[in-house]
């Protein structure tokens, strides 16, 4: 744990992650495990949300009771694999507005190009939880965060399942203010940009498209 990076080492998260890594874990289990892990990780992320008190009446007496302060956090899926993490966050924060960022890599310039961008209003007043299971090279993640900042987001957490050291470095260089929360920092990237040991292509595994 540092100001920049949190690895959620909760035993349930780690056990479920191991099941996700196994190559014979079926699509239906993979999806469910991703949702469950995301919920547990979102719990960690929301731990420091600002609080205030409201005066309420219990059946016994009035009290000043703790409630969340400020606007509901927004969750932003980085397409397409980020969609597999939406339900886990939304189970915990059901009223969270949801945004989507779509980027593809231009094969000539190798730079990320935006093909879709739709985010909730008021990002500047919300905690913004950007979700993408795999922080690999970090190029598309950094570009997605650029777009969110241009749209006004100031308080951003990046929630991923696995991170490669290369991706963490890239994000740290581009967005040192964005806290990364992950379940594991793996060894490295291979020459195709896959995380090692990783879990393969997260999108293919969750949508059954491999
Ligand atoms: N995206 C994936 O889905 N898997 C990786 O290992 C890297 C990027």
């Amino acid at each position: 744990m540092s100001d920049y990076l949190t690895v959620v080492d909760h035993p349930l998260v780690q056990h479920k992650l191991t099941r996700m890594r196994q190559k014979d874990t079926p699509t239906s289990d993979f999806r469910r495990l991703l949702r469950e892990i995301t919920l547990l990780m979102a719990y960690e992320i929301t731990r420091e949300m600002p609080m205030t008190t409201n005066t309420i009446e219990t059946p016994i007496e009035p009290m000043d009771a703790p409630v969340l302060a400020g606007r509901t956090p927004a969750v932003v899926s980085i397409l397409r694999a980020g969609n597999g993490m939406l339900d886990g966050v939304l189970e915990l924060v059901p009223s969270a507005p949801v945004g989507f960022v779509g980027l593809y890599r231009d094969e000539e310039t190798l730079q990320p190009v935006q093909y879709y961008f739709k985010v909730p209003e008021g990002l500047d007043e919300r905690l913004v939880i950007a979700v993408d299971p795999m922080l690999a090279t970090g190029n598309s993640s950094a570009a997605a965060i650029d777009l969110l900042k241009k749209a006004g987001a100031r308080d951003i957490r990046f929630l991923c399942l696995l991170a490669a050291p290369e991706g963490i470095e890239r994000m740290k260089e581009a967005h040192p203010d964005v806290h990364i929360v992950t379940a594991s920092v793996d060894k490295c990237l291979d020459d195709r940009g896959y995380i090692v040991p990783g879990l393969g292509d997260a999108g293919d595994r969750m949508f059954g498209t491999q």
Side-chain angles (χ1 to χ4, degrees), residues 134 136 193-195 200-202:
M134 310 301 270
Y194 280 91
I195 296 178
D201 187 302

Side-chain angles (χ1 to χ4, degrees), residues 42 74-75 78 80-82 93-94 116 125-126 131 150 164 189 191 204:
V75 51
I78 301 174
R80 78 179 155 149
V93 193
Y116 192 76
E125 298 168 335
R126 303 178 189 273
V131 293
K150 278 195 195 121
L189 294 177
D191 52 12
D204 281 346

Side-chain angles (χ1 to χ4, degrees), residues 26 38 75 106-107 113 145 147 168 179 190 201:
T38 306
V75 51
D106 183 295
E107 291 307 328
V113 180
I145 301 295
L147 293 171
I168 295 171
H179 192 111
D190 70 9
D201 187 302

Side-chain angles (χ1 to χ4, degrees), residues 41-60:
M41 292 174 74
Y43 179 78
E44 289 297 324
I45 284 198
T46 48
R47 183 182 286 285
E48 285 163 20
M49 281 172 68
M51 303 289 295
T52 182
T53 54
N54 277 355
T55 305
I56 60 160
E57 291 200 25
T58 79
I60 310 299

Side-chain angles (χ1 to χ4, degrees), residues 124-199:
D124 55 328
E125 298 168 335
R126 303 178 189 273
L127 167 66
V128 177
I129 304 172
V131 293
D132 187 349
M134 310 301 270
L135 176 56
T137 63
N139 289 334
S140 58
S141 308
I145 301 295
D146 278 337
L147 293 171
L148 292 176
K149 286 185 173 173
K150 278 195 195 121
R154 290 181 310 200
D155 184 12
I156 307 173
R157 308 279 187 285
F158 187 85
L159 178 55
C160 58
L161 188 63
L162 299 185
E166 295 90 331
I168 295 171
E169 273 315 300
R170 173 80 183 92
M171 281 284 279
K172 193 169 181 177
E173 171 189 286
H175 299 292
D177 56 315
V178 174
H179 192 111
I180 298 171
V181 178
T182 185
S184 174
V185 178
D186 274 15
K187 230 170 14 190
C188 58
L189 294 177
D190 70 9
D191 52 12
R192 295 177 308 156
Y194 280 91
I195 296 178
V196 181
L199 49 72

